[in-house]
Amino acid sequence: MKTVAMVLFPQFLLLDMAGPMEVFSIANRYLPPEQHYELITLGTDHGQLRASNGVSVTADLHIDQADGHYDLLLVPGGPQAYNDNPALLLEWLKGAVTRAGQYGSICTGAFVLGFAGLLDGYRVTTHWHYTERLIKAFPGTHVETDQIFVHDRNLITSGGVTAGIDLALSVVAADHGKKVAQDVAKVLLVVMKRQGGQAQFSPLMASVGPQETPVTRVQNHMLEHLEQAFSIDSMASLASMSPRHFARVFAREVNMTPMEFLQGARIDRARSLLETSELPLKTVAYKSGFGSVRHMRFLFNEKLGLTPAQYREQFS
């Protein structure tokens, strides 16, 4: 029997807890009793803990009482995960992971592990909306921005919310084989392996700054004329700069190259058209500036892991 413990704190995300725990619970239906998962919740507060959606949960044990071995110790996300982590929780985690076979996080729970100093030197991920914040907060960590979950040695982390289900299914598959994990996935009406990664949910284009600068003027011009051809020379001309100087200034202000911004903007425009219209793929490609369906398909596969047709089917 393996023990899975979930650490709960005020304002934790309920689905981050319930999704993975449900996977392990359903897996028990397909396993002999001696191979069942034992599920335990550990709370930072005595009594009830209110989740971010207002639902109250009472943990099985307070962390002061939790000094045993856990095969898997998980931390969910939530507003407190990246805003206010009590020293008591962080100190407890440092000792608890030494008694755990594996430890990990769901969604923004990665920040809790980071503040406890448990991410340095590891490959990790979190919800796409918070990857840049995680990168800046913990420079000693390699953040995978497009993965649904990442397993690195004894640490396993997942992207946002429902990605905790993917994480748990991968653990079940590793423990008991793919067939058991597939059976659990069928009960939950989810797939064992998603098409594409988190990039299909997040915008690829960097936001345009609110203040007018030569760079933001070029960005806005590109967004208004995506169907036109652009080069570094033509962009630099719009900014009244030399190509080399423009490329340096753009990269410094936007944290990506001009061509990366343009490519991301075109993919995002195509995604919007695929989600909200029934335009033929050829028209979508033209209006987004790809020039051909073939080029659009290549970039969709490269950046999103989906073809335009698959994207439309999944998101429209």
Side-chain angles (χ1 to χ4, degrees), residues 88-104:
L88 176 65
L89 170 59
L90 302 182
E91 285 302 313
W92 179 84
L93 275 172
K94 292 176 185 178
V97 298
T98 65
R99 304 189 303 272
Q102 287 182 302
Y103 67 96

Side-chain angles (χ1 to χ4, degrees), residues 148-160:
I148 300 297
F149 63 89
V150 173
H151 194 161
D152 184 4
R153 290 162 284 172
N154 62 331
L155 173 64
I156 186 167
T157 55
S158 77

